[in-house]
Amino acid sequence: MAHISAAERRPQLIKAAIDLMTRKGVAAASTRAVAAELGVAQMTVHYVFGSKQELYRAVLEQLSQEVMDGVRKAPAPDARFEDAVATMARALWRNVRKDPLSHLVVTELSILALRDPNLRETITGHFYGMGQVASVLIEETAERTGQHLAQSPDAVARFFLAGFDGLTMQRLSVPDDEAEEVCLNHLIASTVALATGGSRSAPSLAGS
């Protein structure tokens, strides 16, 4: 049998872990179970990642990357800051509705990490990374549209993500399309108002 390098095994194991977590939950994703999912020896998981914590970190990074890639690919209008923010927010929300189980995995990992000192750094890094990406997107959008920011990009990003995470939890727990649309509109409007220092109504975009 041909030897497969750690670099080649890594994405395979991450996918196996995500598939397993999606079906059975994070608690079921031991290194033994992930190895069985892919059909390899348990020592392979430890060889590639060193520990379960590092595997979980890789899973979070992969899921986060997929979400943010979708936002970056969303067509962003250049004319107005508020329209660009709305486009990015709605791209994120489409991802939640399209793949809710991936967001459930992130939620489970987050709760687990808050109780496990060995995982706390992992989830802290995840939220810090998401905040940094969102902050950069806000700053770049403001520069592209000529919008002066009344608050720091970091503060605007933190505010938006706090609201978005809450809305995501609502979707996972008690989905309600109509209520979620209202809440998303107001979250967008509030984020724009914080960023610009003004009071704005929620942008209305077709195809949401």
Side-chain angles (χ1 to χ4, degrees):
M1 183 179 295
H3 172 71
I4 298 179
S5 68
E8 292 174 299
R9 278 296 187 206
R10 183 180 176 86
Q12 295 174 353
L13 287 167
I14 293 172
K15 183 179 184 305
I18 292 173
D19 290 345
L20 183 60
M21 290 176 180
T22 298
R23 293 198 319 272
K24 297 185 177 181
V26 171
S30 64
T31 55
R32 183 185 300 275
V34 172
E37 180 81 7
L38 188 60
V40 299
Q42 184 180 10
M43 68 177 63
T44 301
V45 181
H46 290 283
Y47 173 70
V48 174
F49 292 99
S51 67
K52 182 175 71 175
Q53 287 75 26
E54 287 304 312
L55 171 61
Y56 283 10
R57 184 194 302 275
V59 166
L60 276 170
E61 289 175 351
Q62 177 68 29
L63 293 175
S64 301
Q65 187 64 47
E66 290 174 0
V67 170
M68 297 317 297
D69 283 348
V71 175
R72 292 190 182 98
K73 292 176 183 177
D78 290 329
R80 299 197 309 167
F81 177 78
E82 50 264 50
D83 292 336
V85 170
T87 297
M88 290 187 290
R90 291 181 182 282
L92 272 174
W93 189 244
R94 282 194 296 272
N95 182 275
V96 172
R97 297 191 61 172
K98 179 182 177 181
D99 191 12
L101 290 179
S102 290
H103 292 271
L104 178 57
V105 168
V106 172
T107 300
E108 286 185 76
L109 282 169
S110 301
I111 295 172
L112 176 65
L114 291 174
R115 289 288 190 181
D116 185 343
N118 293 322
L119 287 172
R120 186 62 183 260
E121 182 183 349
T122 298
I123 200 62
T124 298
H126 163 72
F127 280 108
Y128 177 78
M130 290 291 287
Q132 286 295 102
V133 171
S135 178
V136 169
L137 286 173
I138 289 168
E139 186 171 22
E140 290 177 349
T141 300
E143 291 176 355
R144 187 177 70 250
T145 59
Q147 174 65 54
H148 169 72
L149 293 178
Q151 303 290 337
S152 72
D154 288 347
V156 177
R158 190 178 184 92
F159 174 82
F160 172 77
L161 290 174
F164 193 87
D165 287 345
L167 190 55
T168 299
M169 181 60 79
Q170 288 286 316
R171 177 70 184 181
L172 293 173
S173 305
V174 283
D176 183 328
D177 291 347
E178 184 176 349
E180 289 156 12
E181 179 66 15
V182 171
C183 292
L184 182 62
N185 280 338
H186 282 283
L187 176 60
I188 292 169
S190 298
T191 301
V192 169
L194 177 67
T196 62
S199 177
R200 308 286 183 90
S201 60
S204 177
L205 295 185
S208 59

